[in-house]
Amino acid sequence: MISLLVAHDTRPKPVVFLVQGSACYPLFTIEADGVYHPTIIFQDVVAGDLEGVHFAMVEQRGVEPLRFQTGMTHQQKVDAFERSGRDCTLEYLKTKTKQARVDDIVAVIEAVSAEPWAQQILLAGHSEGTHVVTGVVRQGTPAGIAAAGLFASAGPTPFWGGYVSSGAGQREVFQRGFERMRMLQSATDDFMYEGLPARRWRTFWLDTTPLDDIRDSTVPLFIAAGTRDGTILAPDLFVMEAIRQQPNRTVRYVVVDGGDHAFETPDRRSHIRELFDDFLAWALDETRTTGTAVVK
């Protein structure tokens, strides 16, 4: 069974599929009075953009909303949420593959696109979700994909992470990535590495990469990255290869100067909302163009 959560009305509008990252954190928490609160990085964009688009989210297999009990303090809720991301179910661990997540998204897109209120389909993924999005692009859907947004981690980041400056020390970064890749290639499916089974690492980072996924597609791509994420080389190379492979593909690449993995800068400002609005405006503009930008 696939758990789908949709925010929509009856007016025909584009549908944005929001795809969360790794770990088994739930898409929603539920208060004792039944009020739902989204937990993913895009949580603040939904209410603000509902006038222009519908939103859809697909929960990962083996994950359910986290229910809070009456009388819980704020800290108890925070602690419970943190535990939910560590105490993953056996179903989650056994079914955690890129193809499983791609299959679920594709199935839901097919169902949602048949609704009278659904127009073009847009995809927006964060972190691991970017790989799910490119996997959907590769597999394709009957409804087609109008544009895809890749927010952080566009590329084989576990192996390219740390290349933030030049120098001899980068050889150590390369060596760690090299050894990690070789270890995962020979590990059994159930071997646990950094809290997740090797099957997850292989299917997301080794069997196929986002560049493999988009090679034969001309779907417009919006890529966002932060210079403080420690993985900036991966999206840089991804963007260059994306336009090399398909010169007629439209690409927009936005870098947040000083942005971390969640696009927060050292002054504690979050830039995810402005990035998402940039993506939405660009994706829905029929005259969209290829280019780059830097957010200070």
Side-chain angles (χ1 to χ4, degrees):
M1 181 179 70
I2 302 175
S3 296
L4 167 67
L5 300 105
V6 185
H8 74 94
D9 55 32
T10 59
R11 292 173 294 174
K13 290 182 291 189
V15 184
V16 183
F17 280 78
L18 302 175
V19 186
Q20 82 272 45
S22 60
C24 52
Y25 292 110
L27 285 174
F28 286 87
T29 59
I30 308 176
E31 298 290 346
D33 60 3
V35 175
Y36 277 64
H37 294 292
T39 66
I40 64 175
I41 193 172
F42 300 111
Q43 58 184 317
D44 294 331
V45 310
V46 176
D49 289 320
L50 268 176
E51 187 62 28
V53 296
H54 308 300
F55 288 98
M57 289 175 277
V58 178
E59 188 61 274
Q60 297 185 82
R61 301 181 189 185
V63 179
E64 296 182 355
L66 174 62
R67 295 181 180 273
F68 294 136
Q69 302 301 313
T70 302
M72 291 180 70
T73 66
H74 174 72
Q75 188 57 52
Q76 287 173 328
K77 293 176 181 179
V78 170
D79 293 343
F81 181 73
E82 291 301 319
R83 285 195 301 272
S84 73
R86 298 191 301 267
D87 300 338
C88 305
T89 65
L90 183 60
E91 179 185 1
Y92 172 87
L93 294 174
K94 288 292 186 183
T95 61
K96 179 68 172 186
T97 65
K98 178 177 176 178
Q99 191 60 52
R101 293 197 68 186
V102 168
D103 288 344
D104 288 351
I105 298 289
V106 170
V108 170
I109 288 175
E110 185 171 359
V112 169
S113 62
E115 296 293 331
W117 42 261
Q119 292 184 323
Q120 62 262 56
I121 301 297
L122 305 175
L123 304 175
H126 175 254
S127 195
E128 181 187 281
T130 65
H131 294 248
V132 180
V133 165
T134 61
V136 174
V137 168
R138 181 178 190 170
Q139 188 161 318
T141 72
I145 300 167
L150 312 178
F151 293 79
S153 301
T157 48
F159 311 113
W160 296 80
Y163 287 85
V164 293
S165 63
S166 61
Q170 296 310 306
R171 291 301 85 205
E172 296 177 7
V173 174
F174 171 82
Q175 188 64 31
R176 288 196 298 271
F178 179 86
E179 291 170 356
R180 179 183 298 183
M181 182 182 295
R182 295 299 293 152
M183 178 272 291
L184 288 169
Q185 285 176 323
S186 61
T188 61
D189 278 354
D190 292 323
F191 173 76
M192 297 299 290
Y193 177 70
E194 294 188 356
L196 289 168
R199 71 169 62 82
R200 178 265 182 180
W201 295 101
R202 278 203 296 268
T203 60
F204 275 96
W205 309 106
L206 296 178
D207 294 348
T208 62
T209 71
L211 277 174
D212 297 326
D213 293 339
I214 66 167
R215 193 178 309 280
D216 298 321
S217 166
T218 56
V219 169
L221 299 173
F222 179 99
I223 299 96
T227 60
R228 200 159 51 95
D229 195 2
T231 59
I232 193 66
L233 180 62
D236 281 355
L237 294 176
F238 176 87
V239 170
M240 296 289 279
E241 281 296 293
I243 59 175
R244 184 189 69 81
Q245 293 172 4
Q246 300 284 356
N248 294 325
R249 183 204 314 277
T250 50
V251 173
R252 179 163 173 77
Y253 184 29
V254 182
V255 173
V256 179
D257 187 19
D260 61 13
H261 195 60
F263 301 104
E264 185 174 290
T265 43
D267 58 6
R268 308 283 295 182
R269 286 193 301 147
S270 171
H271 295 271
I272 189 64
R273 178 59 190 267
E274 64 185 288
L275 288 172
F276 184 83
D277 286 347
D278 189 346
F279 159 65
L280 203 57
W282 178 83
L284 296 177
D285 184 354
E286 294 183 358
T287 64
R288 71 177 79 86
T289 59
T290 293
T292 64
V294 176
V295 175
K296 296 288 187 179

